[in-house]
Amino acid sequence: MNIVVCVKQVPDTASERTLGADGTLDRASADGLINELDEYAIEEGLRIAEAHGGEVTILTMGPQKASESIRKALSMGADKAVHLLDDGLAGSDALATSYALSKVLAQTGFDLVICGSESTDARTGVLAAMLAERLGVAQLTLAGKVDIDGTAVTVRRMSDEGYAVVSAGLPAVVSVVEKINEPRYPSFKGIMAAKKKPVQTLSLADAGIDAGEVGLAGSATAVADFAARPPRAAGVIVKDEGDGGAKVAGFLAERKFI
Amino acid sequence: MAEVLVLAEQAGGEVKKVTLELLTAAARLGEPAVVWTGPDADKAQQRLAEYGAARVYVADGAEFGDYVVAPKAELLARLVADKAPSAVLTASTAEGKEIAARLAVKTDSGVLTDAVDVTAGEDGAPVAEHANFGGAITTRARVTRGTPVIAVRPNAVTAAPAAQPGAAELVPVSFTASEAAKAAKVTERVTAEKGERPDLTEAQIVVSGGRGTGSADGFKIIEDLADALGAAVGASRAVTDAGWYPHAFQVGQTGKTVSPQLYVAVGISGAIQHRAGMQTSKTIVAVNKDAEAPIFEIADYGVVGDLFTVVPQLLDEIGKRSG
């Protein structure tokens, strides 16, 4: 089975994140790492390949720096990677990104595309649905469990109300939620092996992507302006002197919550 | 005035609060028209009229429940082609975002998700406000191509009955989903035990517990406080990782984003990943024994103390006041 896992490098959520003058994320100044939710996608891809046979390809779109994340994904056990790397992609919104990735996927071919449910930077949570729409294949998103039986895929689609069991035939686009599995740590052997694994770098032209449809100019949304949120006015902090609970109650009553 | 389509979320004819919020936002942009999928539109008609809906497009078909997301996106795409609305609004829920996503691809339009506010710009086109990186930065964004598709976060816009109620005329739409939209079939639905508490993302008050609760047993005090306040229960990642409370209730970077009127953080230190999920709450109250905990930097009211003495006293006080 040909499994492609989409992986995004994002700024560390524990670091200070800022926007550049053009309203896009300043990716250069923050430490980058694999989008945490994509680690579950990589793990799920590896488990499916181990159980059913097949090859796991990592697909990443991002600047040169994103090769760090590709390397980590390969050291976890993925077989190879495709890095869509072109300055013309900078500032692409979700619609443009899904277009670019769909062009690469059409080239690599796939039985199963697996994504994390969202990225921790933009948090749009729309990419997998957009890919399914563009590729014309089944959308099996927000999976908390994935089962493959021959050419049928069944997932538990998780929601606030519980879950739905959803089935489709391959090929399909799957997105997985946090905690679907326990992502493995790269072993020393895995790290060494990753250095020899093939990483194909594609430019816009290589992938047949129309440069006018991607990047800041090709995106269908634009940030008009942005501002740091005004800091919250300093609150009242008191030490519990045996009356802490009563004091909170007093505050809540003053604000009409009780 | 051009129409603004609002995709309704409902259960058994009961309109979800977020749909009324969307109608309030839609009225700022044009003439609000509801898109209703499934039965029972007549039950909701009066309520939708009250919140300004001029019309309700009703597509009553089983395919909306039998197949994931795609049929609803297909219906909206057809209405966009037929009615040329000035914008389409959906709820920024997991499903609402995915419907918006597919609609954007189908109509080659820009999509903005997780908006915390929507207003009309000087040219009348929608401007969506977002709270990024957990509310550290506020951005305002526009759609520059196609029909703007905007998913609005529940609980962010205050729903208000329209000054002039709409007609909420029921307009049947005959619609059959294409084969392509039927690729992912729902074979079973399993509903989790829900209890009486409000939905986490829609609740006016959220009480969240963190590592300080110490155990699954210790976490029960969070449920008690939530029930006393009529609140939803939330949890920090430390709690859900430890298995003291289900993952679905995690508030933070990789969990739910909430912006209630009141957020009570109990035994939560307030790491940046947690703040990312609750920083836009209107009022924040914190109880933590560590005076240096970052949660106190954003709290409107904080008590430095042991939650197991502060919270029981608070519960007593609430009991006394309520009667």
Side-chain angles (χ1 to χ4, degrees):
Chain A
M1 191 175 337
N2 182 1
I3 302 166
V4 182
V5 180
C6 297
V7 170
K8 184 182 188 183
Q9 175 154 309
V10 296
D12 189 346
T13 55
S15 67
E16 207 58 54
R17 291 169 293 176
T18 56
L19 298 180
D22 62 357
T24 64
L25 179 60
D26 181 0
R27 294 184 189 275
S29 71
D31 283 339
L33 37 80
I34 291 184
N35 172 42
E36 192 187 323
L37 294 156
D38 294 345
E39 292 192 15
Y40 299 96
I42 299 167
E43 178 65 33
E44 201 61 25
L46 295 173
R47 288 185 187 194
I48 292 169
E50 283 158 8
H52 302 273
E55 205 172 41
V56 177
T57 305
I58 302 300
L59 169 56
T60 289
M61 164 175 147
Q64 188 61 50
K65 234 179 122 173
S67 58
E68 302 158 12
S69 290
I70 292 176
R71 210 42 80 180
K72 181 172 177 205
L74 292 174
S75 65
M76 284 172 74
D79 299 287
K80 57 191 171 70
V82 177
H83 187 175
L84 180 59
L85 169 66
D86 198 301
D87 289 344
L89 291 162
S92 295
D93 68 359
L95 195 69
T97 301
S98 69
Y99 160 70
L101 292 177
S102 70
K103 294 297 271 188
V104 179
L105 286 163
Q107 211 173 83
T108 59
F110 61 90
D111 296 306
L112 201 57
V113 177
I114 310 180
C115 307
S117 56
E118 65 178 38
S119 65
T120 56
D121 52 358
R123 297 199 70 181
T124 62
V126 297
L127 190 80
M130 284 183 169
L131 285 178
E133 176 71 38
R134 287 196 187 272
L135 297 165
V137 302
Q139 175 193 328
L140 297 171
T141 46
L142 304 171
K145 189 167 185 285
V146 181
D147 289 311
I148 311 258
D149 183 6
T151 60
V153 197
T154 301
V155 304
R156 271 190 188 177
R157 176 179 169 84
M158 309 307 288
S159 73
D160 289 344
E161 289 78 39
Y163 65 86
V165 179
V166 185
S167 292
L170 293 172
V173 175
V174 167
S175 82
V176 298
V177 299
E178 189 179 12
K179 297 280 142 44
I180 182 176
N181 52 40
E182 187 68 43
R184 66 194 70 183
Y185 288 102
S187 64
F188 178 71
K189 205 175 133 205
I191 292 167
M192 296 312 287
K195 293 181 178 166
K196 298 195 192 77
K197 288 178 177 171
V199 178
Q200 185 188 11
T201 303
L202 296 180
S203 67
L204 292 180
D206 295 336
I209 294 166
D210 179 351
E213 296 279 312
V214 294
L216 207 50
S219 291
T221 53
V223 173
D225 52 51
F226 65 93
R229 186 185 168 85
R232 295 184 79 102
V236 177
I237 311 297
V238 299
K239 197 170 177 319
D240 179 27
E241 310 275 5
D243 58 352
K247 280 182 167 164
V248 175
F251 175 81
L252 295 179
E254 190 186 299
R255 298 286 179 102
K256 309 261 185 273
F257 287 115
I258 55 175
Chain B
M1 194 163 43
E3 281 184 327
V4 176
L5 299 182
V6 167
L7 178 65
E9 293 212 356
Q10 53 107 3
E14 181 91 25
V15 188
K16 287 215 175 166
K17 196 176 89 187
V18 66
T19 301
L20 306 178
E21 294 165 3
L22 296 178
L23 280 171
T24 301
R28 301 170 189 161
L29 307 171
E31 188 179 53
V34 171
V35 178
W36 188 275
T37 54
D40 302 322
D42 52 322
K43 289 188 197 161
Q45 190 177 16
Q46 198 192 336
R47 192 126 174 92
L48 296 171
E50 207 182 309
Y51 283 82
R55 186 161 319 98
V56 183
Y57 295 112
V58 183
D60 183 0
E63 56 247 89
F64 300 114
D66 290 350
Y67 302 93
V68 169
V69 176
K72 288 184 185 173
E74 208 169 77
L75 169 68
L76 285 175
R78 208 185 86 196
L79 288 169
V80 166
D82 289 354
K83 313 290 174 193
S86 59
V88 179
L89 305 185
T90 70
S92 199
T93 52
E95 181 175 282
K97 286 195 286 189
E98 291 188 335
I99 293 166
R102 296 190 73 126
L103 175 63
V105 170
K106 282 177 185 295
T107 59
D108 191 29
S109 300
V111 57
L112 297 166
T113 51
D114 213 20
V116 295
D117 202 9
V118 184
T119 50
E122 277 170 24
D123 56 357
V127 176
E129 191 175 302
H130 295 84
N132 302 84
F133 311 139
I137 294 177
T138 301
T139 56
R140 296 197 311 150
R142 288 167 165 278
V143 167
T144 53
R145 193 168 78 221
T147 304
V149 182
I150 302 176
V152 183
R153 188 189 287 180
N155 231 358
V157 173
T158 306
Q164 203 70 43
E169 180 201 346
L170 299 183
V171 182
V173 177
S174 108
F175 171 80
T176 315
S178 70
E179 283 310 307
K182 295 181 181 175
K185 185 167 175 48
V186 176
T187 55
E188 187 189 354
R189 283 182 195 277
V190 178
T191 308
E193 189 122 351
K194 199 154 165 285
E196 296 295 301
R197 296 194 189 101
D199 281 348
L200 184 52
T201 49
E202 288 205 340
Q204 296 295 309
I205 304 179
V206 174
V207 178
S208 279
R211 195 188 301 274
T213 57
S215 64
D217 215 32
F219 195 85
K220 292 206 173 89
I221 199 167
I222 302 301
E223 291 188 313
D224 293 344
L225 182 55
D227 291 342
L229 291 168
V233 173
S236 75
R237 183 156 183 183
V239 166
T240 57
D241 273 359
W244 300 343
Y245 213 67
H247 178 65
F249 296 90
Q250 184 192 316
V251 172
Q253 178 76 60
T254 57
K256 298 272 157 44
T257 301
V258 301
S259 34
Q261 295 297 319
L262 172 65
Y263 188 88
V264 184
V266 180
I268 291 177
S269 67
I272 194 164
Q273 290 91 342
H274 185 75
R275 299 207 306 268
M278 47 66 73
Q279 197 152 228
T280 55
S281 302
K282 315 297 179 290
T283 301
I284 298 171
V285 169
V287 178
N288 200 296
K289 61 182 176 193
D290 176 11
E292 303 297 316
I295 193 77
F296 288 125
E297 291 165 22
I298 58 166
D300 297 286
Y301 197 85
V303 173
V304 180
D306 183 348
L307 73 93
F308 291 107
T309 58
V310 174
V311 174
Q313 189 178 60
L314 173 56
L315 283 167
D316 276 353
E317 289 288 331
I318 295 170
K320 277 186 215 157
R321 281 166 206 262
S322 62

